[in-house]
Amino acid sequence: MKIFIETYGCQMNVCDSGKITHLFASQGYQPTRDSRSADLIVINTCSVREKPELKLFSALGRYIPLKRQRPELVIAVGGCVAQQWGEKLQQRCPGLDIVFGTHQLDHLPELVTAVRQSHKALNSTDFLDCPGGLEVMARPGAGAISAMVTIMQGCDNFCSYCIVPHVRGREYSRASAAIIEEVRMLAAAGIKEVMLLGQNVNSYGLKASGEISFAKLLKLVHEIEGIERIRFTTSHPKDMSDELISAFTTLPKLCPSLHLPMQAGSDAVLKRMGRGYTAASYLEKVEKLRRVVPDIALTTDIIVGFPGESEADFQQTLSMLEKVGYDQIYSFKYSTRPGTRAADYEDVVADAEKRDRLARCQGLQDKISQAVLLAQVGKVAEVLVSGPSKRGEDEWSGRTPESRIVNFPAPVSARAAVKIAAGDIFQVKIVKAFKHSLRGEVVVDAGS
Ligand code: 5AD
Ligand code: SF4
């Protein structure tokens, strides 16, 4: 039996798809990249913006007709769009067998078995007190050096534009003991780098009685032998505690890189977004971070064209990009999400204006990113090798602790070629900066 999985959206969904692969591996399903040879097609969807939602309908338009040649093919849609639409998705797309919600991931194998027996469409989208699937542990693929670990799911922030709390449910933190056990298992399987995932990791454990804080959880993960690098995402600026900021100095394995979504630079817009901080208090957090980790690499999310955003408001977003000097940004045109507060906001920004602001925002950031990368030239960075580079020919690729991509040729020392494998760590001198990556040369000891 073969399973084909298509994943849209965030790292959380990528992580969930790994769990689905694992669940079905124990039932004898092999992953395939060819949808036409699959016995089971799973689409793991995202509804944060309208675009990935539209992608789902075009994918179903391609996959449902495959059932004519393969009547036993089962098609399932999960994730945020499934949660939002429920059985209405099956009414709109006849031939779609299963709709499973964001708390039902672990039930998917049972749902597939039931559909194979009854040949009737099924949907399962109830919210549970403890989201099912959180405890499903995906085994890392052969040779993998990095892994994602979900530490919490859901969100209680209800930013006015965001559908996540509506489709992922209330914030739920996994027990720290289960997280530690999973990271230990990953380290024993050869994983060197973990990314701890949650919609708002800074508030980990705060609402679970007797649970430890996120900074304490990091400390426990830090103690696990074999784990060399720790990352986490996503942080909410309003919950970025001093305890967490100081973890960057006390935990050497905690990488100096942080995704800190700013969304907008205008206080008026931030207020209507319900973000709970101002541009000045955001900058204060950044300054505090940079005082303790001067070289920390920051990335962010930006929304342009939020209802009521004037040109002057937008200029403040651009000014924040200049002030912070992010490595990279993820920028989006505001997209109205049904059921959110902002869906009722008036004073919408015309699409052409949003497009223009997005282009200006990305144009400015391209220059800033380029300057950040150029400033690395001449420095020596510790690179964790992820595998051969796309160029091949004995070229390798890896990331610095700041998560910057570095490509470098295999070094040939005076005596012998040095063997390289994923998971190795090298000191690499940066010799050139490109648009999105760096080029370097391994620093080989004089005696080698
Ligand atoms: N429109 C545009 N972007 C959005 N995001 C969340 N909701 C919307 C929306 N309605 C963006 C935010 C968030 C990222 C994951 O997606 O920037 O941080
Ligand atoms: Fe959405 Fe805001 Fe929660 Fe992030 S913090 S998931 S933007 S509601």
Side-chain angles (χ1 to χ4, degrees):
M1 299 279 253
K2 289 189 180 149
I3 177 170
F4 172 86
I5 308 187
E6 190 161 307
T7 310
Y8 308 143
C10 59
Q11 280 161 309
M12 189 78 87
N13 269 10
V14 174
C15 188
D16 283 351
S17 291
K19 292 179 181 199
I20 293 170
T21 307
H22 175 66
L23 280 174
F24 282 93
S26 54
Q27 308 234 334
Y29 282 80
Q30 302 283 329
T32 175
R33 286 177 184 207
D34 175 17
S35 56
R36 282 162 309 174
S37 68
D39 303 283
L40 171 62
I41 293 180
V42 181
I43 310 176
N44 198 359
T45 61
C46 167
S47 58
V48 165
R49 287 168 296 278
E50 195 183 5
K51 225 169 161 184
E53 198 179 81
L54 295 175
K55 238 166 103 178
L56 168 68
F57 294 111
S58 82
L60 286 174
R62 283 195 311 278
Y63 298 144
I64 291 174
L66 295 177
K67 292 178 119 186
R68 274 189 236 124
Q69 284 92 49
R70 298 175 70 82
E72 289 307 308
L73 168 66
V74 171
I75 301 179
V77 171
C80 297
V81 183
Q83 185 64 49
Q84 198 184 346
W85 283 63
E87 62 185 323
K88 278 193 262 153
L89 204 54
Q90 281 151 322
Q91 285 158 11
R92 173 161 169 178
C93 307
L96 168 58
D97 299 290
I98 298 170
V99 173
F100 64 104
T102 53
H103 286 198
Q104 309 290 336
L105 182 147
D106 54 335
H107 287 150
L108 186 56
E110 294 152 41
L111 292 168
V112 171
T113 307
V115 162
R116 288 207 192 285
Q117 281 163 2
S118 70
H119 297 282
K120 280 200 187 116
L122 287 175
N123 72 79
S124 177
T125 53
D126 286 347
F127 277 142
L128 309 173
D129 289 342
C130 161
L134 263 185
E135 299 309 327
V136 177
M137 297 187 195
R139 299 270 174 271
I145 53 152
S146 301
M148 293 182 275
V149 176
T150 312
I151 64 164
M152 58 201 300
Q153 182 171 320
C155 181
D156 290 346
N157 282 320
F158 286 92
C159 300
S160 65
Y161 52 81
C162 185
I163 202 156
V164 167
H166 306 266
V167 289
R168 287 257 176 198
R170 295 291 69 70
E171 183 181 298
Y172 177 87
S173 295
R174 240 178 114 189
S176 50
I179 298 168
I180 297 304
E181 190 193 320
E182 180 167 359
V183 180
R184 282 212 186 99
M185 179 275 285
L186 292 168
I191 291 297
K192 297 231 155 77
E193 179 180 67
V194 282
M195 167 74 96
L196 307 179
L197 289 183
Q199 255 83 38
N200 183 15
V201 292
N202 302 167
S203 59
Y204 171 83
L206 296 181
K207 289 167 192 156
S209 79
E211 198 42 278
I212 57 177
S213 68
F214 182 56
K216 299 226 165 57
L217 178 72
L218 284 173
K219 192 163 175 284
L220 293 183
V221 172
H222 195 269
E223 284 166 10
I224 297 173
E225 227 173 281
I227 297 299
E228 310 276 354
R229 289 184 174 183
I230 305 167
R231 304 183 187 280
F232 59 83
T233 200
T234 292
S235 300
H236 195 304
K238 79 175 164 50
D239 299 322
M240 193 76 208
S241 68
D242 287 352
E243 191 192 15
L244 181 54
I245 292 176
S246 66
F248 281 99
T249 55
T250 54
L251 305 177
K253 295 176 181 177
L254 187 57
C255 290
S257 77
L258 183 71
H259 185 63
L260 198 61
M262 187 241 294
Q263 311 298 2
S266 143
D267 289 346
V269 173
L270 286 170
K271 189 149 193 244
R272 283 200 303 279
M273 286 179 164
R275 290 291 287 173
Y277 55 84
T278 59
S281 68
Y282 181 97
L283 279 177
E284 256 170 49
K285 298 255 159 128
V286 168
E287 277 156 22
K288 240 186 202 176
L289 270 162
R290 288 207 161 127
R291 267 200 297 276
V292 299
V293 202
D295 294 330
I296 196 162
L298 297 172
T299 56
T300 201
D301 290 341
I302 299 290
I303 297 176
V304 301
F306 187 73
E309 184 190 70
S310 64
E311 174 61 26
D313 289 322
F314 172 64
Q315 287 296 332
Q316 286 176 296
T317 298
L318 296 184
S319 145
M320 286 291 277
L321 297 185
E322 305 252 26
K323 283 182 190 150
V324 179
Y326 296 102
D327 260 52
Q328 249 190 80
I329 64 166
Y330 303 88
S331 49
F332 315 100
K333 288 190 294 177
Y334 168 70
S335 157
T336 307
R337 303 287 61 213
T340 60
R341 272 177 292 139
D344 299 328
Y345 288 4
E346 288 170 1
D347 212 2
V348 297
V349 176
D351 195 55
E353 185 59 42
K354 285 193 220 170
R355 231 178 301 136
D356 179 63
R357 286 183 194 171
L358 188 67
R360 283 190 281 153
C361 179
Q362 292 174 343
L364 171 62
Q365 183 56 39
D366 279 352
K367 288 191 195 120
I368 296 170
S369 298
Q370 190 91 71
V372 169
L373 288 184
L374 211 55
Q376 308 312 311
V377 174
K379 293 185 183 170
V380 173
E382 182 200 87
V383 175
L384 174 66
V385 178
S386 41
S389 92
K390 284 185 204 134
R391 276 176 47 172
E393 295 164 28
D394 230 2
E395 284 259 330
W396 294 82
S397 189
R399 282 185 188 262
T400 67
E402 295 80 12
S403 209
R404 296 177 184 131
I405 297 171
V406 182
N407 295 305
F408 61 93
V412 181
S413 76
R415 293 191 197 143
V418 180
K419 272 250 167 284
I420 299 186
D424 286 351
I425 291 180
F426 284 98
Q427 298 300 316
V428 177
K429 182 164 185 188
I430 307 303
V431 294
K432 210 166 173 188
F434 296 99
K435 220 170 163 191
H436 303 291
S437 66
L438 298 164
R439 187 163 176 79
E441 287 164 3
V442 172
V443 178
V444 184
D445 292 343
S448 61

